[in-house]
Amino acid sequence: MVVRTVKETPPSELTRCPVAPAGLPAEGEAAIPPAWRAAIIRLAKSRAEVADQLARLIAWHTGEGCRPSAPPS
């Protein structure tokens, strides 16, 4: 493990691990047009990439990794 010395400590809200959002309900159905479906998938993938990037930045800065979290109830 490598820990880097930083002159200023960022505010605590910037070093908190991201919380996974609740997903879609398991029951029910909807007719989603293909263009909307593709956009929803792009947004979900983008959110996952940003959350992963933030978790890696937190681990790099603090030396501690984020644990997977359950979505809020």
Side-chain angles (χ1 to χ4, degrees):
M1 172 174 43
V2 176
V3 177
R4 301 192 192 308
T5 303
V6 178
K7 292 181 182 178
E8 294 182 30
T9 302
S12 62
E13 70 268 8
L14 295 179
T15 57
R16 263 193 303 245
C17 292
V19 176
L24 296 172
E27 295 181 11
E29 57 185 78
I32 302 173
W36 279 71
R37 177 177 161 70
I40 291 168
I41 291 170
R42 285 193 307 272
L43 289 170
K45 287 181 178 180
S46 174
R47 193 267 176 217
E49 289 171 359
V50 170
D52 179 63
Q53 183 180 23
L54 177 58
R56 288 184 286 118
L57 180 61
I58 290 169
W60 176 80
H61 182 74
T62 65
E64 297 179 19
C66 293
R67 285 181 254 133
S69 62
S73 301

